[in-house]
Amino acid sequence: MKLKKRKIKFTAIFFICWFAFLVFLVDGVLKFQTLLDYFGSYALVETTLLLLVIIPTIAVYKYTKE
């Protein structure tokens, strides 16, 4: 698979912005401890947050036109 520089650049920009938004949302607005109390599992919350960053980033890479 040949990596395209333009696609990687757009994906990296999206990743940084989306990650910063989720950090602001989880740490600032929702409070991480509140999520832990609601779901009850640290591993579940962390895995969900990681997937909320990784899956959209892969989708942006896949659907960005060269």
Side-chain angles (χ1 to χ4, degrees):
M1 182 171 107
K2 185 177 176 185
L3 296 176
K4 310 285 186 181
K5 288 184 181 180
R6 180 173 181 242
K7 289 176 82 167
I8 292 173
K9 180 178 74 171
F10 286 135
T11 304
I13 291 169
F14 175 81
F15 174 80
I16 291 168
C17 293
W18 184 240
F19 183 76
F21 174 71
L22 281 178
V23 166
F24 168 74
L25 190 66
V26 169
D27 289 339
V29 177
L30 298 174
K31 305 292 184 208
F32 187 75
Q33 189 62 41
T34 306
L35 291 174
L36 284 178
D37 293 339
Y38 184 75
F39 291 109
S41 171
Y42 182 80
L44 177 67
V45 173
E46 284 293 321
T47 304
T48 304
L49 292 173
L50 281 173
L51 289 176
L52 281 174
V53 172
I54 293 171
I55 291 173
T57 303
I58 292 171
V60 166
Y61 180 78
K62 186 175 181 180
Y63 294 114
T64 300
K65 296 185 192 262
E66 189 57 35

